[in-house]
Amino acid sequence: MNSSFADKKKYSREQTKLSGLKILKYAQLAILVAAILISAWFILMDTGVVPSFPMDQHFVESVNLAPQYLEGKWTFQYPSLQNSGGITSSLIAGIYKLLVPTNHENLNWHIRIFAMATYLVSTFVLIRTFVFDRAIQILAFLIIACSGFQLLQPSSDIFAGTLLNLFFIAAATKWPRVLTALFLAAFGLCKVDMILAAILLATFWSWWEYREGAKNSILGFAFTLLWLIFFLLPGFVVQGASPLEGSRSMVAFMSAYTEFFGYHQFTGSTPADLSNPIEVVQSKIFAGSTSFPEIVRRFPALYFDFVGVSAARSLPNIFNVFKLMLIPIAIVFIRQKDIRQNRFLLWGSMIAAVCVIVPAWLVIYLRLRYAVKIAAPLIVIALAGSMELGQIQPRYRKVALLCGIGTIVWGLLFFGDMAQYSHWK
């Protein structure tokens, strides 16, 4: 009789636990839907007209994948990697416009909402893949959703973040290598400075699979290179010119240099229109230089001054992106030897972070929207790693929880600001 009562009590506890897990599962889905709807509402509060050049978001309207018959022949525009939308983001926007009816007044709403939704959904799946505690899964998603990252412009940075999320998900759950490589190559082609990140991650991925004893591990790297060539090749065939042509690094450096040092001139602050000061700086200070590498080579002292100011501008933005989550991120990487699970994400996210932060620091400075690409993987590994370390020292779990809650509150306080100044972050 006592045994029967104990069995019933145990069964009741198990049923209660299952019910609680089911409630948390539905709560997660409800939070995802709510985050998408609230984010869409904030986007719809802004104009649906695409900002004009030189705003980076202009790629959404300028890309046109529809074949055109001009002057007696068919022409086809293929995006250049040096454009603000790169190749991948431009293709996504172009294909979207071919499939979904849009107009001048609502195009930006369409692309921004699509980018936002894909980013939040991929983040949701990324969290479910690497974090096993449902309550911590909710915390992780709220940290990212309340940050307002999904509202930022240009949408190319949001698409890049989505594709990086998908790569980590696919690599960890052993999706077909050809598909995983597609996500990685597409991430690398979102912007010209991401190609190096894609190649290094492909190398790391193949090495990791080889280390785990997987057969034909080199295929991940090979497929990534083939996808890169596949998307770059039409630039040569269709345009008859290199898809890499352009001077995006030169433009970025000159605009940042003029902005940094213009504010410290005795003649007053830098004007809103930087075009004329940039011409003056290029012709007088960097006279005769036509490319960014040439400036570094010919004017090393001036360049190192710039690197110092760029670091001073970049560091606060790193803090503004990750906020209190910098603490568990640092703890996890310091104690990485005690992390046994999710080590692929641990080192893969670090490689991606270095490839995003260092080029931005050396050429312009790290803006909030650049860090969107790497925010989700780093926050996810910080929480997943903290939960694992918490089994050794419970204080690590408590620190991560407190930092996560504080980051959510902080993000909510500035959510409206992120929406209002989405293109200037």
Side-chain angles (χ1 to χ4, degrees), residues 319-331:
F319 185 71
N320 288 334
V321 169
F322 296 102
K323 302 177 178 66
L324 298 179
M325 287 306 296
L326 278 175
I327 297 173
I329 288 172
I331 289 173

Side-chain angles (χ1 to χ4, degrees), residues 325-363:
M325 287 306 296
L326 278 175
I327 297 173
I329 288 172
I331 289 173
V332 166
F333 280 96
I334 291 171
R335 296 292 305 271
Q336 57 85 20
K337 290 184 179 179
D338 296 321
I339 304 293
R340 294 291 176 263
Q341 300 173 346
N342 302 326
R343 290 185 66 82
F344 177 80
L345 180 64
L346 178 76
W347 292 111
S349 61
M350 178 54 69
I351 291 171
V354 170
C355 290
V356 167
I357 292 172
V358 173
W361 168 43
L362 295 179
V363 178

